[in-house]
Amino acid sequence: MRDHGRSGCPINATIEVIGDRWTLLVLRDVMFGNHRYFRELLAGSEEGIATNILSDRLKRLVAAGLLSREDTRPGQKAEYRLTEPAIQLVPIMAALGSWGLRHRPTTTRLRVRAELLEAGGPALWAEFMDELRESHLGIPRTDPDRPTATEQLAQAYAAAVAE
């Protein structure tokens, strides 16, 4: 019998997997920061995640099927990769960023990417998802000659921060 959590409600089922702040921030850092190793995630955390919390969230994300973890021998660094269900969270992450832009205080440096994702809309999200599929799942992008969404975001970010 399949575990449906507290209820069979799809919103509840989603919240049970990604509903705490650290889980979403770890996914954000893998997704948008391309951090794939424990130390990268720890050092790159804007919010200062503790090692025990990061370790717990990575284990939970792997168990939930949102991240894969490459098996390693002792002494090797484990690489974390997004799975297809995690990649499909891009529109949700963009929507959360848009909501935060309108309703929460933010800094210019950290709001730029959310603004760009909001402005780019579903077309940019789809391009970014294709890019994530290529880099995390090995599925080639449909238009490899076009600049990646990451390159587009980086260029716009650099321009916005330089102003």
Side-chain angles (χ1 to χ4, degrees):
M1 184 169 184
R2 189 170 172 198
D3 179 22
H4 291 288
R6 286 182 287 237
S7 74
C9 171
I11 293 172
N12 175 67
T14 303
I15 294 302
E16 286 186 0
V17 176
I18 64 168
D20 71 271
R21 84 180 201 129
W22 291 114
T23 298
L24 284 173
L25 295 177
V26 170
L27 284 172
R28 175 204 64 192
D29 291 346
V30 175
M31 192 177 286
F32 296 103
N34 198 31
H35 301 304
R36 295 186 188 213
Y37 299 94
F38 185 90
R39 293 277 174 226
E40 288 178 345
L41 288 160
L42 192 63
S45 172
E46 284 281 336
E47 295 77 18
I49 192 169
T51 57
N52 62 324
I53 293 173
L54 177 57
S55 178
D56 177 70
R57 291 323 183 272
L58 289 169
K59 287 176 188 170
R60 287 184 190 193
L61 286 163
V62 169
L66 294 176
L67 290 178
S68 64
R69 181 183 188 271
E70 185 131 343
D71 288 331
T72 59
R73 294 186 302 268
Q76 286 185 317
K77 297 189 304 185
E79 181 180 12
Y80 294 91
R81 292 176 177 257
L82 298 169
T83 62
E84 181 61 28
I87 292 168
Q88 290 180 20
L89 288 171
V90 166
I92 292 168
M93 298 292 249
L96 287 170
S98 293
W99 186 90
L101 289 171
R102 286 188 297 282
H103 301 291
R104 306 301 303 164
T106 59
T107 63
T108 302
R109 181 178 69 84
L110 296 176
R111 69 183 284 128
V112 171
R113 286 191 180 96
E115 291 171 338
L116 297 169
L117 284 167
E118 183 176 60
L124 181 60
W125 307 341
E127 287 179 33
F128 185 55
M129 290 166 64
D130 282 347
E131 180 184 341
L132 291 172
R133 287 182 184 102
E134 181 175 59
S135 66
H136 288 264
L137 304 175
I139 300 169
R141 291 185 305 132
T142 54
D143 187 0
D145 297 327
R146 185 181 173 125
T148 66
T150 298
E151 291 167 342
Q152 295 174 50
L153 289 170
Q155 290 170 358
Y157 176 77
V161 172
E163 292 177 351

